[in-house]
C-alpha cells in the first residue's frame, strides 16, 4: 500500500532529526561543553566573510588581497555568521552547516538517508562549519536534476553553485550534459555559461591577489602523490573507506553496472553511472591523501551512497530489508569511530588553535605580528598582524624556489607559533633568536597532525 504524503514527510524527517540529536549529544560530550570550536579552516572563512562588510573585501586582516578561501559560495553564510561576533559567529556557521546536512538527508528519502547518516565522515563534518555538507547537497541536486526534468537553466544554477562550493565539482557538467534530451549548442551554452563566467571572475581575482590563476590553497596545500605517499596516501584512503562503508561501495558498483545494462535511454543510464565514478576519480587525483577525515571525499561518498540506495530500491521488499540491514550493520563500526574522532577533533582545535589565540590576544600588542601555520583562530580572535607560514594569505611563503625564508620572517614578525616537528627547519634557521614563551598540547592530533604547538618570541 502506497504511503500518504504525511507519512512520507514524517519518514523523511527521521534521519535529519536523528542527526540533529546526535550532533547535540556530541557537543555536550565534547570537552568544553557547548563551547565547542568548529574545524580550524572555518575561522578562515569567517575572517573572509567579515571582510565583505569592510572597506577591504577578501583581505585577511591587515594583509593585502588574497585567495586563501576554498569555497567562494561558503563566504555568503560565513559573512552572515560573522555578524554574530567572535564567540557566536562560529556557532552560527556550524548551525548553517548542520541545517545543510539535514537538508541532504531530507532530500534523499528514508532508506538512502539512513545509509548516509551511518557514513562516519558525513557525521563528522555535519556541523563542522565548513562547506562540506553544502557540497554534498549540490551533488544530491545534480543527481535529482539528471533524473528529473533536466531544464537547462535550472541545471546551470546548480552547476554554478557546485563549482563555487568546490571547484572539482565542475566535472559534474559531463553527466549533466549527457542527460540532456537535446544537446544543442544553445542548450549546452545555457548549462555552462554561468559557471564559465564565475570561473573567469575567480581567475581574475586570483591573478590580482597572488599573480597565479588558481587559489593559493592549491599551491600551499599541494597533495602528496599517491605513488609515493607511504601511509597517508592511497592505502590510508582505502583503509578509511573499508572502515566507513565496506559494503556500500560494492552495492553502488552493482547499481552502476546495472544502470549501464538496463534498457532505456542510454544517456540517462550513462549520467547516473558517471556521477559517482567522476567524483571519486577527480577527488583521488587532486587529494590522494586522507587529510581531514576524508573531508574532500565526502561528495563522492554521498554519490556512492545514493547509488547504493537506488540499488536497494530495485530489490523486492524482503530482499531490500535484509540487504539494507546488512549494509547498515557493516557501517556501524565506522560511525562509532568517527563519532569519537569528532569529539577528539573539538579538543584538538581548542588546544592547538583556540587557546594559543586566546593567550596571544592577552599578551601581544595590537600592532605586533605573529608568524603561524594555522592562522584561522588567530585571524578571527585577535587583532594581530598575520604572516602565514604556509602561504595561504602570504604569497611570499608559497612553496617553490622563490619562497621567503627565515630572514624574511624574522624581519616582519614578532612571534612564531608553529608545530615543533613540522617547522623544525625554521627553528634551526633562527640561530638562537627565538625565546620560548608557551607550549600547548592536545590529547589527540586529529586535525593538525601534531599534538603540540609552541609559541616563541622573536628577538
Amino acid at each position: 500500500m502506497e504511503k500518504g504524503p504525511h507519512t512520507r514527510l514524517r519518514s523523511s524527517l527521521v534521519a535529519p532529526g536523528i542527526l540533529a540529536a546526535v550532533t547535540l549529544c556530541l557537543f555536550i560530550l565534547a570537552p568544553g561543553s557547548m563551547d565547542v570550536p568548529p574545524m580550524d579552516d572555518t575561522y578562515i572563512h569567517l575572517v573572509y566573510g567579515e571582510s565583505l562588510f569592510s572597506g577591504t573585501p577578501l583581505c585577511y586582516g591587515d594583509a593585502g588581497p588574497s585567495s586563501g578561501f576554498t569555497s567562494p559560495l561558503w563566504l555568503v553564510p560565513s559573512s552572515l555568521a560573522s555578524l554574530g561576533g567572535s564567540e557566536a559567529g562560529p556557532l552560527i556557521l556550524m548551525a548553517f552547516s548542520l541545517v545543510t546536512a539535514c537538508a541532504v538527508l531530507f532530500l534523499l528519502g528514508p532508506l538512502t538517508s539512513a545509509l548516509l547518516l551511518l557514513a562516519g565522515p558525513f557525521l563528522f563534518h555535519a556541523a563542522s562549519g565548513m562547506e562540506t555538507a553544502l557540497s554534498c547537497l549540490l551533488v544530491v541536486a545534480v543527481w535529482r536534476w539528471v533524473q528529473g526534468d533536466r531544464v537547462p537553466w535550472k541545471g546551470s544554477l546548480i552547476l554554478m553553485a557546485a563549482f563555487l562550493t568546490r571547484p572539482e565539482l565542475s566535472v559534474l557538467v559531463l553527466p549533466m550534459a549527457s542527460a540532456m534530451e537535446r544537446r544543442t549548442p544553445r542548450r549546452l551554452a545555457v548549462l555552462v555559461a554561468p559557471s564559465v563566467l564565475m570561473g573567469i571572475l575567480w581567475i581574475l581575482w586570483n591573478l590580482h591577489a597572488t599573480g597565479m590563476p588558481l587559489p593559493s590553497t592549491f599551491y600551499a596545500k599541494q597533495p602528496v602523490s599517491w605513488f609515493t605517499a607511504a601511509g597517508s596516501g592511497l592505502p590510508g584512503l582505502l583503509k578509511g573507506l573499508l572502515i566507513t562503508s565496506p559494503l556500500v561501495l560494492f552495492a553502488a558498483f552493482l547499481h552502476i553496472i546495472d544502470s549501464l545494462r538496463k534498457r532505456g535511454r542510454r544517456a540517462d543510464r550513462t549520467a547516473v553511472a558517471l556521477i559517482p565514478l567522476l567524483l571519486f576519480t577527480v577527488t583521488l587525483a587532486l587529494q590522494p591523501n586522507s587529510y581531514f577525515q576524508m573531508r574532500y571525499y565526502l561528495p563522492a561518498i554521498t554519490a556512492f551512497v545514493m547509488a547504493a540506495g537506488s540499488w536497494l530500491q530495485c530489490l523486492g521488499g524482503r530482499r531490500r530489508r535484509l540487504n539494507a540491514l546488512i549494509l547498515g550493520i557493516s557501517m556501524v563500526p565506522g560511525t562509532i569511530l568517527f563519532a569519537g574522532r569528532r569529539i577528539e577533533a573539538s579538543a584538538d582545535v581548542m588546544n592547538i588553535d583556540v587557546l594559543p589565540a586566546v593567550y596571544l590576544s592577552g599578551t601581544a600588542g595590537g600592532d605586533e605580528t605573529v608568524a603561524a601555520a594555522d592562522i584561522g583562530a588567530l585571524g578571527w580572535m585577535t587583532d594581530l598582524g598575520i604572516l602565514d607560514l604556509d602561504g595561504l594569505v602570504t604569497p611570499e611563503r608559497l612553496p617553490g624556489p622563490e619562497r621567503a625564508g627565515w630572514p624574511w620572517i624574522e624581519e616582519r614578525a614578532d612571534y612564531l607559533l608553529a608545530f615543533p616537528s613540522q617547522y623544525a627547519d625554521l627553528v634551526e634557521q633562527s640561530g638562537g633568536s627565538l625565546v620560548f614563551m608557551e607550549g600547548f598540547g592536545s590529547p589527540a592530533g586529529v586535525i593538525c597532525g601534531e599534538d603540540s604547538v609552541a609559541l616563541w618570541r622573536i628577538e
Side-chain angles (χ1 to χ4, degrees):
M1 185 170 63
E2 187 176 348
K3 295 181 180 179
H6 295 293
T7 303
R8 289 197 299 269
L9 177 61
R10 287 195 296 270
S11 299
S12 299
L13 289 174
V14 171
I18 293 175
L19 175 62
V22 170
T23 303
L24 180 61
C25 290
L26 292 178
F27 275 30
I28 294 174
L29 292 173
S33 188
M34 292 306 294
D35 188 23
V36 178
M39 296 297 99
D40 50 346
D41 286 353
T42 303
Y43 292 110
I44 295 179
H45 282 91
L46 282 168
V47 175
Y48 277 113
E50 186 180 41
S51 76
L52 298 180
F53 297 113
S54 70
T56 55
L58 300 185
C59 293
Y60 200 88
D62 294 333
S66 61
S67 59
F69 47 90
T70 57
S71 173
L73 188 59
W74 194 241
L75 294 181
V76 177
S78 298
S79 63
L80 298 176
S82 70
L83 298 176
S86 60
E87 294 186 5
L91 292 176
I92 294 173
L93 194 54
M94 293 166 76
F96 273 128
S97 183
L98 179 60
V99 169
T100 308
C102 289
V104 172
L105 297 178
F106 178 79
L107 291 175
L108 288 179
L111 185 58
T112 307
S113 63
L115 292 179
L116 187 58
L117 184 62
L118 289 171
F122 184 82
L123 174 63
F124 188 101
H125 287 287
S128 67
M130 300 169 79
E131 79 286 350
T132 312
L134 179 59
S135 66
C136 296
L137 179 62
L138 290 164
V139 170
V140 174
V142 170
W143 184 282
R144 290 167 65 94
W145 184 88
V146 164
Q147 297 184 324
D149 55 17
R150 298 187 285 269
V151 177
W153 70 266
K154 292 181 182 178
S156 68
L157 296 179
I158 295 172
L159 181 63
M160 179 184 67
F163 166 69
L164 292 177
T165 301
R166 196 70 74 70
E168 62 268 26
L169 296 185
S170 58
V171 298
L172 293 174
V173 67
L174 297 178
M176 295 178 76
S178 172
M180 294 179 68
E181 294 181 355
R182 291 182 290 116
R183 289 189 294 276
T184 63
R186 180 178 179 276
R187 291 168 69 87
L188 289 173
V190 170
L191 178 65
V192 303
S195 298
V196 171
L197 177 60
M198 291 296 103
I200 292 173
L201 293 177
W202 198 0
I203 289 174
L204 290 175
W205 172 258
N206 295 332
L207 290 172
H208 168 67
T210 64
M212 294 175 288
L214 299 177
S216 58
T217 53
F218 179 85
Y219 305 99
K221 302 289 186 180
Q222 293 184 26
V224 180
S225 170
W226 58 272
F227 287 107
T228 58
S232 62
L234 189 60
L237 168 64
L238 293 178
K239 178 183 177 182
L241 291 175
L242 289 175
I243 292 175
T244 304
S245 46
L247 297 180
V248 168
L249 298 180
F250 176 72
F253 277 115
L254 288 179
H255 175 70
I256 292 171
I257 296 171
D258 191 45
S259 297
L260 295 175
R261 289 179 175 177
K262 278 183 178 178
R263 293 181 179 180
R265 207 168 75 93
R266 182 174 179 82
D268 293 348
R269 296 182 281 119
T270 303
V272 169
L274 278 177
I275 292 175
L277 293 177
L278 281 175
L279 286 177
F280 184 80
T281 302
V282 71
T283 309
L284 181 63
L286 295 178
Q287 297 290 340
N289 47 41
S290 51
Y291 291 152
F292 300 111
Q293 294 69 43
M294 303 191 329
R295 162 194 171 194
Y296 298 103
Y297 294 91
L298 201 48
I301 291 175
T302 301
F304 273 98
V305 169
M306 286 191 291
S310 298
W311 175 75
L312 288 174
Q313 293 291 351
C314 296
L315 302 178
R318 178 175 294 181
R319 288 182 62 201
R320 181 190 307 163
R321 290 191 293 270
L322 176 61
N323 281 276
L325 179 62
I326 293 173
L327 285 175
I329 292 175
S330 73
M331 299 172 73
V332 169
T335 306
I336 297 173
L337 173 66
F338 279 92
R341 286 188 178 179
R342 183 64 181 91
I343 296 175
E344 293 175 344
S346 292
D348 195 23
V349 174
M350 174 65 76
N351 287 278
I352 297 299
D353 292 317
V354 175
L355 292 184
V358 172
Y359 180 88
L360 275 168
S361 66
T363 303
D367 58 344
E368 293 185 301
T369 298
V370 56
D374 281 354
I375 62 172
L378 289 169
W380 177 248
M381 302 177 67
T382 74
D383 295 325
L384 293 170
I386 303 294
L387 193 158
D388 180 22
L389 296 177
D390 289 337
L392 290 177
V393 300
T394 309
E396 294 85 352
R397 281 289 300 172
L398 285 174
E402 303 298 325
R403 188 177 200 179
W406 173 252
W408 186 88
I409 297 173
E410 184 179 22
E411 182 180 346
R412 289 163 176 79
D414 302 287
Y415 301 92
L416 174 66
L417 180 66
F419 301 109
S421 296
Q422 296 179 35
Y423 295 90
D425 57 333
L426 289 181
V427 177
E428 183 178 351
Q429 293 169 22
S430 67
S433 61
L434 295 177
V435 178
F436 178 79
M437 293 181 62
E438 191 70 34
F440 302 87
S442 172
V446 175
I447 296 297
C448 305
E450 195 168 332
D451 60 3
S452 65
V453 66
L455 175 65
W456 294 271
R457 173 85 187 184
I458 300 176
E459 296 291 348

